[in-house]
């Protein structure tokens, strides 16, 4: 937790994304934001800092309920985020800009690494299904066409 607080303090982040979707991560992110914001507080407030902190849940790696342990004041929010909904809301011109940014960063910012490449017939094998259905972080499969 100290490293997360330091990272939040360094960046000034008040917005975060939780790819796991369950457990305590969203609460930990909000708590780190509050701790970083409170460092420079001139006075104590039972309600915490007045800066709004927000975490969006967008993944489902952790199927357990999201658990919030309120240690981050009263200025906070937790919401859901789905990329298709966001893209529909921002319009085609902005989607085009985002697409160009991602394409430009495919080998750097948006580079992906895969635990295993498997062709489509191989992806249908029981052993492969058992492995990729675990939804484990850092264990992505890349499914390629047969013979590619």
């Amino acid at each position: 937790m100290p490293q997360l607080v330091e990272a939040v303090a360094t960046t000034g982040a008040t917005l975060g994304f939780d790819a796991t979707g369950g457990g305590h991560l969203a609460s930990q992110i909000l708590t780190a934001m509050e701790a970083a914001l409170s460092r420079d507080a001139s006075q104590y407030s039972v309600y915490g800092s007045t800066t709004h902190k927000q975490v969006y849940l967008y993944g489902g790696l952790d199927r357990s309920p999201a658990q919030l342990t309120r240690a981050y004041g009263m200025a906070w929010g937790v919401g859901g985020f789905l990329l298709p909904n966001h893209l529909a809301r921002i319009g085609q011109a902005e989607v085009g800009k985002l697409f160009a940014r991602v394409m430009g960063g495919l080998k750097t910012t948006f580079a992906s690494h895969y635990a295993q490449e498997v062709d489509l017939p191989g992806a249908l094998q029981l052993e492969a299904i058992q492995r990729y259905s675990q939804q484990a972080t850092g264990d992505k499969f890349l499914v390629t066409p047969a013979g590619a």
Side-chain angles (χ1 to χ4, degrees):
M1 190 70 172
Q3 288 179 319
L4 181 56
V5 173
E6 278 305 314
V8 170
T10 300
T11 62
T14 57
L15 174 67
F17 290 84
D18 175 359
T20 66
H24 297 280
L25 184 57
S27 190
Q28 291 170 330
I29 294 169
L30 290 168
T31 300
M33 290 175 183
E34 182 67 18
L37 288 164
S38 298
R39 284 182 171 177
D40 299 324
S42 59
Q43 62 185 21
Y44 171 77
S45 170
V46 69
Y47 301 113
S49 69
T50 59
T51 303
H52 184 79
K53 300 158 291 292
Q54 179 76 32
V55 173
Y56 288 102
L57 309 177
Y58 73 94
L61 294 172
D62 185 340
R63 300 284 185 192
S64 68
Q67 298 178 21
L68 302 176
T69 304
R70 295 194 26 211
Y72 31 82
M74 294 298 290
W76 60 274
V78 174
F81 179 85
L82 289 174
L83 184 60
N85 296 4
H86 178 69
L87 296 178
R89 186 175 49 78
I90 65 173
Q92 287 300 315
E94 288 300 313
V95 169
K97 291 177 189 175
L98 291 176
F99 182 78
R101 182 175 173 208
V102 170
M103 292 302 292
L106 279 180
K107 303 248 185 240
T108 57
T109 305
F110 303 107
S112 285
H113 306 282
Y114 303 97
Q116 184 174 341
E117 288 189 28
V118 61
D119 61 17
L120 189 54
L124 299 175
Q125 299 301 310
L126 182 59
E127 181 180 316
I129 293 169
Q130 288 172 333
R131 183 161 173 210
Y132 64 68
S133 66
Q134 293 177 10
Q135 299 179 320
T137 299
D139 201 21
K140 292 189 287 189
F141 273 52
L142 176 64
V143 179
T144 59

